[in-house]
Structures are given as structure tokens and as C-alpha cells.
Amino acid sequence: EAGVTQFPSHSVIEKGQTVTLRCDPISGHDNLYWYRRVMGKEIKFLLHFVKESKQDESGMPNNRFLAERTGGTYSTLKVQPAELEDSGVYFCASSPADRGEQYFGPGTRLTVT
Amino acid sequence: QKEVEQDPGPLSVPEGAIVSLNCTYSNSAFQYFMWYRQYSRKGPELLMYTYSSGNKEDGRFTAQVDKSSKYISLFIRDSQPSDSATYLCAMSEWPDSWGKLQFGAGTQVVVTP
């Protein structure tokens, strides 16, 4: 069974540009989560989808971040416009319905210059 | 004060020794507890998960949860050089905000041959 996949693995953009990260969860997992880790800090929660609906978006830092989950399958996280402090590793995770244990993808390393 | 405290290490042990890792937390609403292993430049890999208190064993790994002390532990028996990685504890409330994992800082473990 394929795990959580993320694309791209690494992105380097300039301040003010737009970047879109993609996550494909494990097949059949209703729950999809986004997290990020900035340099020297713990992994922090961003938001949680149940199928196509946002269950909890309390961790989204500001309105420059937009997450979508089309048809309850893959998800995208768009940052527009990107700022220097957005640099970090963005992780996606998924879990089956009504199960708390989360399986993580390899992450996308975002560098904003 | 952080909700989840974890000593960043590094923790160095000889091959074959028992690795003992722990986290403390302050939020009494945490019910779901997980341990992840993360190799450099990779995503967190789920090792163990437990709901509420008690012990759980899986191969060389044993997870313990003591909710009265707000303290969780992970033990790795017969450690191998391939166990060298960063170990992260994570926890969430249940049922409210159950998808929002709070992570510790991670403990770096080095197993020397």
C-alpha cells in the first residue's frame, strides 16, 4: 500500500511569489492533515480535513495560506504571497475514519528567499 | 510553558542497550499518545500509539502512558545502529480537537556499534 506522498520535495521561491504544495493521502483515508516545522521549532499543526470539509483550521497562521481538498482526495496548500518566515518543512498526514493515529508523508521543504 | 516537553538530547547508547525516552505534558485532556521516528530529511514514521493509560508492546518497542503523572515513555530494547534517529512524541485530545497533534521537540538518539 502506497504511503502519503507529497509534491514537490523541495521548492525555492522568492518573497512575494506563490507556491502550491500537493499531498496525496493513503487511499481510503478520510482524514488529511497539514503540519509544518520551521527551523528550530516543533512540528506545528495547521489544519485538518475530514473528506472535503475543514474540521479544524485553528493552526493556519494567516490568510496568506489557503488549503483545499478536492473531492475528498488529494489536498493542496497554497501560500500567496510567500514571506521569509514561511520557510520550513511542510508535512501532510492522513488517518482512517475515526482513528487518531496519523501517517506522515516525506514533507516539502520550502525555502523563501 | 510548552504543552509537551521533551529533552532534545542527544542520547548516546551502545548497541544492545535499552533506549529510554520520555515526554511530559501539561494538558490533562490529552488522550491519544503517539511515538514517531524521524530520520534526517525524512517524514515522521509512526512507531506506537496508545489511547488513554497503560502499556503497549510491539516487538522491541514498549510504550507507557501514566496519565496521573502526565508522563509518557518509549523503551527500545536491544538497540541497533539503525535505531539512530530523532524520536518524537505527539499527543491529542479526544474527542475535541482529536486531529490536532501536539509534538515534542524530539530526542536525537545515537546508537554506537
Side-chain angles (χ1 to χ4, degrees):
Chain A
E1 180 183 272
V4 177
T5 57
Q6 294 186 244
F7 183 83
S9 59
H10 193 185
S11 180
V12 181
I13 61 172
E14 293 183 353
K15 176 182 173 181
Q17 289 186 324
T18 298
V19 63
T20 301
L21 314 180
R22 173 171 170 142
C23 168
D24 286 81
I26 294 171
S27 178
H29 282 193
D30 286 344
N31 298 289
L32 186 148
Y33 316 84
W34 284 98
Y35 292 82
R36 79 172 173 180
R37 185 171 202 164
V38 297
M39 184 72 73
K41 302 287 188 181
E42 294 86 1
I43 297 174
K44 290 289 190 184
F45 170 86
L46 295 178
L47 90 159
H48 170 197
F49 282 102
V50 177
K51 296 184 180 179
E52 66 276 8
S53 300
K54 292 175 184 175
Q55 172 81 5
D56 183 350
E57 52 184 331
S58 62
M60 295 289 266
N62 52 60
N63 59 11
R64 294 186 295 103
F65 289 76
L66 175 64
E68 295 179 322
R69 189 178 183 192
T70 307
T73 55
Y74 70 91
S75 174
T76 57
L77 180 65
K78 181 189 289 187
V79 185
Q80 179 183 29
E83 298 288 347
L84 298 178
E85 64 264 25
D86 300 332
S87 295
V89 183
Y90 289 76
F91 292 107
C92 176
S94 70
S95 70
D98 299 325
R99 296 282 294 273
E101 61 273 18
Q102 300 181 20
Y103 300 87
F104 279 72
T108 293
R109 185 171 298 273
L110 175 64
T111 303
V112 182
T113 62
Chain B
Q1 183 187 4
K2 296 179 182 178
E3 279 196 281
V4 181
E5 297 280 358
Q6 185 176 11
D7 187 332
L11 176 64
S12 183
V13 300
E15 183 176 356
I18 294 175
V19 177
S20 176
L21 302 164
N22 59 77
C23 290
T24 59
Y25 62 94
S26 57
N27 185 351
S28 58
F30 285 148
Q31 297 276 4
Y32 227 115
F33 303 92
M34 276 154 266
W35 285 96
Y36 289 87
R37 176 174 64 193
Q38 187 175 24
Y39 293 111
S40 181
R41 300 274 175 156
K42 302 290 185 182
E45 174 192 1
L46 182 64
L47 289 176
M48 301 282 283
Y49 62 91
T50 53
Y51 177 73
S52 195
S53 287
N55 296 353
K56 186 174 183 179
E57 187 173 319
D58 184 3
R60 296 186 297 116
F61 299 93
T62 299
Q64 294 181 348
V65 175
D66 182 350
K67 291 188 66 182
S68 63
S69 301
K70 296 190 180 68
Y71 186 91
I72 68 170
S73 302
L74 178 71
F75 301 96
I76 307 173
R77 291 182 297 281
D78 188 24
S79 58
Q80 304 295 312
S82 58
D83 293 326
S84 298
T86 295
Y87 290 80
L88 301 154
C89 64
M91 48 199 79
S92 69
E93 301 179 15
W94 191 272
D96 296 335
S97 300
W98 60 270
K100 183 176 182 178
L101 288 181
Q102 299 279 4
F103 278 86
T107 299
Q108 183 184 1
V109 172
V110 179
V111 181
T112 55

